[in-house]
Amino acid sequence: MMRLSAHEQFRILSDGVADIIPEEEFFAKLEHSVKTDTPLRVKLGCDPSRPDLHIGHAVVLEKLRQFQQLGHQVIFIIGDFTAMIGDPSGRSKVRPALTLDETQINARTYLEQVGIVLDVSQAEIRHNSEWLARLTFADVIRLASQVTVSQMLERDDFHQRFDGEQPIALHEFLYPLAQGVDSVHVCADVEIGGTDQRFNFLLARELQKHAGQQPQAIVLMPLLEGTDGVQKMSKSLGNYIALLDPPREMFGKVMSIPDELIVRYYRYAAFASADEAHAMEEQLRNGSLHPRDAKAYVAERLVARYHGEDAARHAREEFDRMFRQKELPDQIETIELAIAAPVPLVEVLVAAGLVPSKSEARRLIAGGGVYVEAQRINDLHARIERAGEYILKVGKRRFARVRVQ
RNA sequence: GGGCGGGUUCCAGAGCGGUCAAAUGGGGCAGACUGUAAAUCUGCUGGCGUUAUGCCUUCGGAGGUUCGAAUCCUUCCCCGCCCA
């Protein structure tokens, strides 16, 4: 692997980041790395309780890939210990603590997905139960003594919950500490994550200093907004594009982002260069590029990144066919129903899984969103009169071919 | 330990004896429009339905008062704030 100069590396690695803290230290670490021919140890922590990765995670992973290509050592820390204890966020009351088996299964799917972006075989993979499970209560107290409550309350989400009279469980203060211990344990030179990790990463620096180590440099990547355009992309908000989403789904989800987000997605989801992103921004502003076309281009590029050029082109064609020309998708699942004609349409819709309840089916019919064989149905009591195959359409996106006995 | 305020439908948050399946906002879904699963506007948003001012389940849990309770009482559980 070619060793680039520290300057060159810095230029590459700082492209697209939200923040590097502190920059000089980061640069000094690169210089030292080049001089001594020692790769930097770059840490990424992951939470195996939610193994579904999305393109927001990919922003970080892509940066990590650059580190890897420059010859640095990536260290994944699977947070199995913390996952076994349970709920780190305090938001969801019902996040059950995972068993060891579950965390292992999750960790595996996690790494498989990471492998879509990075070379996992070159990474060092550690489980934090390895060292955290061994801490004694005395160790934990000693750790906790290194941070004050008001320091903890500086963290934005704690601060907000405190002000909003929302509960903060004591153990939540311990999670940032645990993360910091991870950094100490693996002797991280650099830690990378989303901007929401700033506080935790800074705390790790303190713990490293206490432990007599050089504190890690921090590389923060922007948090990508979800497809709703408002909140950060997350699984629980349902506004995410999963790395494992099929091409059609990926394409469609990109098309559903608000127009204001196009350039951001181009840059951080489709990994366009800063120059390319500026060019698109300009074209959108002066009207030489239609937002729809810009979005379709971004969508195609994104799909190509994960599924290849052919799949991307195909997804685009199908999107045009379905939504611009309002035709059928090229593949519709056929569902065999165990019910015999004549049968009320609402029952068929439920049986086909197109709709969760008959009431919902009736509402959709009343609202004009149900089609049988391309005919809009207005009658709540419509029935499928005879056996055979029917193409059902609910709204714009839900299709099924059903066979009625 | 003392005082106070809370727990409501996916979320936030009204309601405080019938007119409550429960205001409003968000989210979601659908329709119209559109070169977009964008924006905007409109409708819907517990289940079942022979579609009837119908039936069933829901307002932290369990009892009770009442012709009738999300609304009142008892008790239990949970959360927040202040004081100690």
Side-chain angles (χ1 to χ4, degrees):
Chain A
M1 197 159 300
M2 281 292 291
R3 281 257 175 226
L4 297 176
S5 73
H7 277 99
E8 197 54 21
Q9 291 195 36
F10 184 83
R11 192 185 57 74
I12 295 169
L13 292 173
S14 58
D15 178 60
V17 305
D19 209 351
I20 294 178
I21 314 171
E23 270 196 12
E24 324 73 62
E25 264 181 45
F26 178 58
F27 182 73
K29 281 173 191 285
L30 286 172
E31 273 192 317
H32 184 260
S33 159
V34 170
K35 204 173 296 168
T36 61
D37 197 30
T38 319
L40 291 178
R41 296 176 60 74
V42 186
K43 173 195 167 200
L44 176 71
C46 48
D47 169 10
S49 65
R50 337 194 119 194
D52 268 15
L53 293 192
H54 52 64
I55 62 169
H57 297 115
V59 177
V60 172
L61 294 176
E62 193 70 23
K63 181 56 66 182
L64 222 38
R65 193 172 67 90
Q66 294 176 342
F67 272 100
Q68 215 171 33
Q69 286 177 333
L70 292 168
H72 298 292
Q73 178 64 52
V74 168
I75 302 155
F76 277 108
I77 300 199
I78 312 276
D80 63 339
F81 183 74
T82 36
M84 278 189 288
I85 291 173
D87 179 21
S89 76
R91 298 237 170 93
S92 64
K93 294 163 196 158
V94 281
R95 189 189 289 177
L98 300 179
T99 65
L100 192 59
D101 276 359
E102 285 170 326
T103 57
Q104 275 167 358
I105 292 165
N106 287 351
R108 198 172 313 129
T109 46
Y110 191 97
L111 288 172
E112 270 165 27
Q113 293 173 59
V114 167
I116 295 170
V117 181
L118 282 186
D119 185 353
V120 180
S121 69
Q122 294 300 309
E124 182 178 323
I125 295 161
R126 307 292 292 273
H127 293 73
N128 66 5
S129 58
E130 222 182 286
W131 50 88
L132 292 180
R134 283 208 289 267
L135 294 182
T136 65
F137 195 50
D139 293 328
V140 175
I141 291 174
R142 211 168 296 129
L143 266 173
S145 72
Q146 294 175 26
V147 193
T148 67
V149 170
S150 54
Q151 281 170 343
M152 279 294 175
L153 286 176
E154 281 174 28
R155 199 173 95 172
D156 190 51
D157 66 316
F158 286 151
H159 190 75
Q160 283 187 10
R161 280 196 279 158
F162 189 73
D163 279 355
E165 305 191 345
Q166 296 295 306
I168 301 170
L170 189 56
H171 76 283
E172 294 185 64
F173 282 171
L174 299 179
Y175 280 94
L177 285 175
Q179 278 190 37
V181 171
D182 291 349
S183 287
V184 171
H185 199 87
V186 302
C187 301
D189 296 307
V190 178
E191 178 155 18
I192 184 166
T195 51
D196 56 347
Q197 293 297 312
R198 180 187 307 260
F199 177 88
N200 295 345
F201 290 4
L202 285 168
L203 191 63
R205 281 171 58 86
E206 297 306 314
L207 299 189
Q208 285 177 308
K209 282 187 225 167
H210 272 275
Q213 293 181 10
Q214 288 289 315
Q216 64 188 10
I218 295 169
V219 175
L220 297 176
M221 299 306 294
L223 290 179
L224 191 64
E225 292 84 352
T227 51
D228 59 355
V230 181
Q231 295 189 273
K232 76 167 184 181
M233 183 171 289
S234 90
K235 189 188 176 191
S236 49
L237 294 170
N239 60 0
Y240 68 108
I241 300 177
L243 294 185
L244 294 176
D245 272 342
R248 185 206 289 182
E249 202 65 10
M250 269 190 178
F251 193 96
K253 284 180 180 177
V254 175
M255 293 307 284
S256 80
I257 64 173
D259 288 358
E260 301 76 64
L261 234 57
I262 295 172
V263 176
R264 254 181 98 69
Y265 265 57
Y266 189 38
R267 183 84 220 269
Y268 295 111
F271 305 112
S273 70
D275 288 346
E276 288 175 308
H278 284 138
M280 178 179 282
E281 197 168 13
E282 182 50 34
Q283 286 180 299
L284 283 170
R285 192 180 15 245
N286 68 27
S288 63
L289 180 61
H290 189 285
R292 199 212 80 91
D293 294 331
K295 218 187 277 183
Y297 178 69
V298 172
E300 193 170 342
R301 222 168 120 162
L302 175 81
V303 176
R305 170 73 182 75
Y306 297 104
H307 294 286
E309 305 279 347
D310 287 348
R313 197 175 325 109
H314 192 256
R316 180 174 188 156
E317 286 162 8
E318 185 164 32
F319 185 89
D320 283 349
R321 188 160 61 239
M322 279 172 68
F323 297 105
R324 290 224 255 172
Q325 290 145 39
K326 301 199 196 286
E327 288 173 13
L328 297 173
D330 61 357
Q331 285 187 346
I332 303 179
E333 192 189 355
T334 301
I335 301 168
E336 294 281 347
L337 296 180
I339 49 183
V343 55
L345 178 58
V346 287
E347 263 177 55
V348 176
L349 291 169
V350 173
L354 289 169
V355 111
S357 72
K358 293 187 201 170
S359 294
E360 177 68 10
R362 289 191 194 94
R363 272 181 230 122
L364 284 163
I365 292 172
V370 175
Y371 299 78
V372 175
E373 296 290 321
Q375 288 287 310
R376 176 179 278 174
I377 305 300
N378 296 307
D379 177 9
L380 294 181
H381 300 289
R383 301 197 302 176
I384 298 287
E385 295 293 351
R386 61 192 71 193
E389 280 195 2
Y390 297 89
I391 292 177
L392 307 180
K393 181 183 177 201
V394 176
K396 292 176 192 132
R397 301 164 53 197
R398 279 173 276 171
F399 296 90
R401 176 184 284 118
V402 297
R403 201 196 314 276
V404 176
Q405 303 296 308

